[in-house]
Amino acid sequence: MPADRLSTTFAALADPTRRAILARLALGETSVSELAEPFDISLPAISRHLKVLEHAGLIARGREAQWRPCRIEPDALKGVDDWLEDYRRLWIERLDRLGDYLRTLQSQGKKQEKKRARKK
Amino acid sequence: MPADRLSTTFAALADPTRRAILARLALGETSVSELAEPFDISLPAISRHLKVLEHAGLIARGREAQWRPCRIEPDALKGVDDWLEDYRRLWIERLDRLGDYLRTLQSQGKKQEKKRARKK
């Protein structure tokens, strides 16, 4: 996936309505009017959001003239997932460090308990 | 992570220079001038990108007046990873379907080979 493609994907995802549309389409394909129903915005506004998502390759639309169902296209999201791969180790390492720190605290606590027990 | 936070993160990631800055910072913290070196853009332009990344919580900057090192903050990226979780099954299912299809083709091929062998 070239850099510009990824920028287009991220820009398309930078909107809560577009992410809500994707969440709906993840459940199955649907018509534009059905898709628009839960949103408090006009059909033309929904159509504009769909165009952005379609341009980013996040959704595809059927060819039927009357009923052009929208469906999610997971490949662009997989591109985001692949890009994230290089960064995943960063928070995993952070969690590991936190785990080490907690274990250190725990073993220090135990040592102090033993000392106190010996003094009694 | 509230919806607006995620929109800010995605908008910040929708730029190849900002993603290149993150890739550099994933290797370790660094000063702004060192960070700017490989890029063919001005220091003020780099500073603007850093502000966008900082506002999105993707990087943090040190408090030292003279040397304000930048470092990556993985939590915002983990937010993206968490968001992706609901969609991951989509391309996994697609790969599974492709695997099933390939196995069907394979077994059909074997059946036809057997038929041919019997006819001989």
Side-chain angles (χ1 to χ4, degrees):
Chain A
M1 188 181 263
D4 294 320
R5 175 74 171 167
L6 208 44
S7 295
T8 310
T9 306
F10 280 130
L13 294 174
D15 181 282
T17 304
R18 287 199 287 270
R19 291 199 303 281
I21 289 174
L22 282 182
R24 170 60 192 85
L25 292 180
L27 306 175
E29 65 172 31
T30 179
S31 69
V32 176
S33 54
E34 208 181 321
L35 198 58
E37 232 177 57
F39 297 102
D40 200 19
I41 50 176
S42 68
L43 216 58
I46 287 285
S47 286
R48 276 193 297 276
H49 281 309
L50 291 179
K51 267 188 197 144
V52 175
L53 290 169
E54 197 177 5
H55 175 68
L58 286 159
I59 66 163
R61 303 188 60 183
R63 300 249 171 131
E64 297 81 1
Q66 292 273 313
W67 191 69
R68 295 193 58 201
C70 300
R71 64 165 187 276
I72 196 165
E73 287 284 313
D75 285 357
L77 289 175
K78 188 171 184 320
V80 174
D81 197 53
D82 292 343
W83 177 82
L84 268 180
E85 189 52 41
D86 292 337
Y87 299 93
R88 210 158 274 141
R89 63 168 178 84
L90 293 175
W91 61 83
I92 291 171
E93 278 168 13
R94 192 138 104 163
L95 284 174
D96 284 350
R97 277 200 301 276
L98 188 66
D100 288 347
Y101 177 66
L102 289 177
R103 270 187 295 276
T104 311
L105 284 185
Q106 242 176 354
S107 78
Q108 278 175 352
K110 277 181 191 162
K111 272 182 201 164
Q112 283 179 342
E113 262 175 51
K114 276 185 192 169
K115 264 190 195 172
R116 262 185 239 121
R118 257 179 268 146
K119 277 183 187 168
K120 270 178 195 171
Chain B
M1 186 180 264
D4 292 322
R5 175 75 171 167
L6 208 43
S7 295
T8 310
T9 306
F10 280 129
L13 294 175
D15 182 280
T17 305
R18 287 199 288 271
R19 291 199 303 279
I21 290 173
L22 283 182
R24 169 62 192 85
L25 293 178
L27 306 174
E29 67 173 30
T30 180
S31 69
V32 176
S33 54
E34 208 181 323
L35 197 58
E37 233 177 54
F39 296 103
D40 199 20
I41 50 175
S42 68
L43 215 59
I46 288 284
S47 286
R48 277 194 295 276
H49 281 309
L50 291 177
K51 267 187 197 144
V52 175
L53 290 168
E54 197 177 5
H55 174 67
L58 285 160
I59 67 164
R61 303 188 60 182
R63 299 250 171 131
E64 296 81 2
Q66 292 272 314
W67 190 70
R68 295 192 60 202
C70 301
R71 65 166 187 278
I72 196 165
E73 286 286 312
D75 284 358
L77 289 175
K78 190 173 183 317
V80 174
D81 197 52
D82 292 344
W83 178 81
L84 268 180
E85 190 52 41
D86 291 338
Y87 298 92
R88 208 156 274 141
R89 62 168 180 84
L90 292 176
W91 61 82
I92 291 170
E93 280 169 9
R94 193 139 101 162
L95 284 174
D96 285 350
R97 275 199 302 274
L98 188 66
D100 288 346
Y101 177 65
L102 289 177
R103 271 188 292 279
T104 310
L105 283 186
Q106 243 175 356
S107 77
Q108 277 175 351
K110 277 181 191 162
K111 272 182 201 164
Q112 280 177 343
E113 262 175 53
K114 275 185 192 169
K115 262 190 195 172
R116 262 187 238 120
R118 256 181 269 145
K119 276 183 188 168
K120 274 179 192 170

Short mmCIF file of all heavy atoms in Angstrom, two decimals, chain B residues 10 75 91 106 117 120:
data_model
loop_
_atom_site.label_atom_id
_atom_site.label_comp_id
_atom_site.label_asym_id
_atom_site.label_seq_id
_atom_site.Cartn_x
_atom_site.Cartn_y
_atom_site.Cartn_z
N PHE B 10 -6.52 9.90 13.80
CA PHE B 10 -6.53 9.52 12.38
C PHE B 10 -6.12 10.71 11.50
O PHE B 10 -5.36 10.55 10.55
CB PHE B 10 -7.92 9.01 11.96
CG PHE B 10 -8.19 7.58 12.34
CD1 PHE B 10 -9.34 7.22 13.02
CD2 PHE B 10 -7.29 6.58 12.00
CE1 PHE B 10 -9.59 5.89 13.36
CE2 PHE B 10 -7.52 5.25 12.33
CZ PHE B 10 -8.68 4.91 13.01
N ASP B 75 0.17 5.19 23.36
CA ASP B 75 -1.22 4.97 23.76
C ASP B 75 -2.24 5.32 22.66
O ASP B 75 -3.24 4.61 22.48
CB ASP B 75 -1.55 5.77 25.03
CG ASP B 75 -0.97 5.10 26.26
OD1 ASP B 75 -0.37 4.02 26.10
OD2 ASP B 75 -1.09 5.65 27.36
N TRP B 91 -11.17 -9.45 7.55
CA TRP B 91 -10.20 -9.97 6.58
C TRP B 91 -9.72 -11.38 6.96
O TRP B 91 -9.30 -12.13 6.10
CB TRP B 91 -9.05 -9.01 6.30
CG TRP B 91 -8.18 -8.61 7.44
CD1 TRP B 91 -7.13 -9.32 7.94
CD2 TRP B 91 -8.23 -7.40 8.18
NE1 TRP B 91 -6.56 -8.62 8.97
CE2 TRP B 91 -7.22 -7.44 9.14
CE3 TRP B 91 -9.06 -6.29 8.15
CZ2 TRP B 91 -6.98 -6.41 10.04
CZ3 TRP B 91 -8.85 -5.26 9.04
CH2 TRP B 91 -7.82 -5.33 9.98
N GLN B 106 -8.59 -27.91 -4.97
CA GLN B 106 -7.60 -28.98 -4.85
C GLN B 106 -8.27 -30.36 -4.87
O GLN B 106 -7.85 -31.25 -5.59
CB GLN B 106 -6.84 -28.83 -3.53
CG GLN B 106 -5.37 -28.58 -3.73
CD GLN B 106 -4.67 -28.32 -2.39
OE1 GLN B 106 -5.31 -28.25 -1.34
NE2 GLN B 106 -3.37 -28.18 -2.45
N ALA B 117 -7.45 -41.62 -14.18
CA ALA B 117 -6.64 -42.81 -13.92
C ALA B 117 -7.47 -44.07 -14.15
O ALA B 117 -7.00 -45.07 -14.72
CB ALA B 117 -6.09 -42.77 -12.52
N LYS B 120 -8.07 -45.02 -17.84
CA LYS B 120 -6.92 -45.55 -18.59
C LYS B 120 -6.90 -47.07 -18.61
O LYS B 120 -7.25 -47.70 -17.61
CB LYS B 120 -5.61 -45.02 -17.97
CG LYS B 120 -5.24 -43.65 -18.56
CD LYS B 120 -3.97 -43.12 -17.92
CE LYS B 120 -3.81 -41.64 -18.30
NZ LYS B 120 -2.76 -40.99 -17.55
#
